[in-house]
Amino acid sequence: MSAPVVLGIESTCDETAAAVVCGHSLISNVVASSMNEHARYGGVIPEIASRAHAEAFVPVVSQALADANMDIADVDAIAVSAGPGLAGCLAVGVSGAKSLALAANKPIYGINHVIGHIAVTQLQFGAFPQDTLALIVSGGHTSLLHVQDVARKIDVVGTTLDDAAGECFDKIARILGFPYPGGPHIDKHAQAGDPHAIRVPQGLTQGKAGAQHPYDFSFSGVKTAVARWVEGLQAQGQPVPVDDVCASLADSVASVLTNKAMAACDLYGSSTLIVGGGFTANSQLRDKLVATGKERGIEVRIPQRQLCTDNGAMVAMLGSNLVEAGVRPSALDFPINSAMPLSQICM
Ligand code: KG4
Ligand code: ZN
């Protein structure tokens, strides 16, 4: 069989996106974002995001096909994010994708968005090694996965016990007065600050809790400590050293993520670390992962920034893996699952 052509559709949060992938090659990639409509509320408003998906769905999918010089008859399968994500947003993308599949008589795969974030690395680095470790860091997830086969078998090695890293950054960014999403602002300010200016706690790294949870994460303590420290200064009318706060926070979070991911690679004897999720656009994390990987002889595969945040290419790429592996398509009545577990690759 020649390489499958897959149309990927994404609508889990505030990006409506579509892309065409052929095998491991990206043919087209279109993203429309409603991010600016949410900024003044300090976070994504599901109703606004859902409405934006309904408006953008047809133009975005049409553009992705047009950019690929194709129409729907040319694709072998459709893949769509079925979860996890905001229910109303998922419903728009999944309903649209099902209609398209039904009308064009194409197989459809309701895929796990989070697994898409790691699958996308194949567009840049090629197929996964047989047994590999993956670090997922997004707005809603911070997890370590053991990927035996991206189309068939993924196990959770560790996960956050409370907040995700992205969530923690977004909340601190709000206290510092940055608009949503705050992650990129913290990244920028961190580049001008001193990473050792403030002590930021590193959850589950030491003592009994660290020993009990070597591959799990906890970021709620980080959020509370930084918020208290900043609010203390604000209460005294003192200026907040924003760059130093951002640099210390980013350095601390990047260290925890890197150290735990490398330890999990050792545990599974993996010489490759696959990295994905919106937060992995973060400069401090990218630098630390690459430097530590070099020291320890572990190849770190981080997608280019454009493919870190939500997109259709990640969905199409995972769809292509499923087609190539001969996995049965989803039934046309598959539901959305806003809390889809990470071990479930497709519906
Ligand atoms: O994967 P994603 O686009 O959405 C989810 O599936 O959750 O991730 C969004 C998260 C947000 O928390 C955002 O602040 C964070 O990724 N993010 C960053 C950066 N770019 C995006 N965090 C830190 N530094 C960045 N450069
Ligand atoms: Zn995402």
Side-chain angles (χ1 to χ4, degrees):
M1 178 184 163
S2 57
V5 175
V6 179
L7 168 67
I9 297 173
E10 155 64 28
S11 75
T12 55
C13 190
D14 53 354
E15 270 91 26
T16 317
V20 176
V21 160
C22 176
H24 286 186
S25 306
L26 184 59
I27 311 295
S28 68
N29 190 27
V30 178
V31 182
S33 178
S34 63
M35 194 183 282
N36 294 338
E37 294 176 55
H38 308 285
R40 67 193 170 112
Y41 302 103
V44 174
I45 307 295
E47 285 285 324
I48 295 177
S50 305
R51 191 174 312 162
H53 288 307
E55 286 171 10
F57 184 93
V58 171
V60 165
V61 171
S62 307
Q63 190 65 50
L65 288 170
D67 289 354
N69 272 325
M70 289 182 189
D71 63 40
I72 191 67
D74 299 317
V75 313
D76 296 310
I78 296 170
V80 60
S81 294
L86 299 168
C89 296
L90 290 166
V92 177
V94 167
S95 304
K98 282 182 178 180
S99 313
L100 210 51
L102 187 65
N105 194 24
K106 298 290 176 186
I108 184 168
Y109 292 86
I111 64 102
N112 188 318
H113 169 90
V114 179
I115 308 304
H117 271 305
I118 54 173
V120 76
T121 56
Q122 297 167 97
L123 293 171
Q124 254 177 284
F125 303 99
F128 285 176
Q130 179 76 59
D131 250 294
T132 193
L133 240 286
L135 169 68
I136 284 284
V137 201
S138 72
H141 289 84
T142 309
S143 300
L144 285 164
L145 306 177
H146 177 217
V147 185
Q148 285 181 53
D149 174 346
V150 69
R152 296 184 186 279
K153 182 97 181 90
I154 292 181
D155 295 308
V156 178
V157 176
T159 194
T160 179
L161 303 185
D162 40 60
D163 292 354
E167 210 175 334
C168 166
F169 265 45
D170 290 342
K171 284 177 182 165
I172 292 171
R174 240 171 124 162
I175 294 164
L176 293 172
F178 301 137
Y180 173 86
H185 296 276
I186 293 190
D187 185 332
K188 204 170 111 231
H189 282 271
Q191 291 172 33
D194 172 5
H196 306 296
I198 298 152
R199 242 197 99 249
V200 177
Q202 301 197 327
L204 305 182
T205 54
Q206 274 152 25
K208 211 169 145 196
Q212 268 171 356
H213 296 280
Y215 310 110
D216 290 322
F217 304 95
S218 166
F219 295 107
S220 71
V222 175
K223 182 188 67 193
T224 313
V226 174
R228 288 232 176 93
W229 195 83
V230 169
E231 283 159 2
L233 285 180
Q234 286 168 337
Q236 292 165 27
Q238 290 187 35
V240 176
V242 172
D243 293 347
D244 287 349
V245 171
C246 293
S248 304
L249 167 69
D251 182 72
S252 176
V253 169
S255 296
V256 173
L257 291 169
T258 301
N259 293 340
K260 292 205 177 217
M262 295 293 166
C265 284
D266 290 347
L267 179 71
Y268 284 90
S270 176
S271 55
T272 311
L273 177 67
I274 311 292
V275 182
F279 190 96
T280 59
N282 179 259
S283 313
Q284 292 79 31
L285 177 61
R286 297 172 79 92
D287 291 351
K288 193 145 294 198
L289 281 169
V290 169
T292 312
K294 227 175 233 158
E295 270 166 31
R296 301 178 57 151
I298 291 176
E299 185 204 353
V300 180
R301 297 185 178 180
I302 317 180
Q304 59 190 74
R305 276 193 172 78
Q306 199 198 346
L307 295 178
C308 286
T309 44
D310 293 346
N311 61 77
M314 57 192 259
V315 182
M317 184 60 237
L318 181 53
S320 170
N321 289 136
L322 292 165
V323 174
E324 278 188 325
V327 172
R328 189 147 37 94
S330 308
L332 259 183
D333 63 350
F334 74 84
I336 59 163
N337 184 355
S338 41
M340 196 165 173
L342 294 184
S343 53
Q344 184 179 1
I345 299 160
C346 109
M347 299 299 287

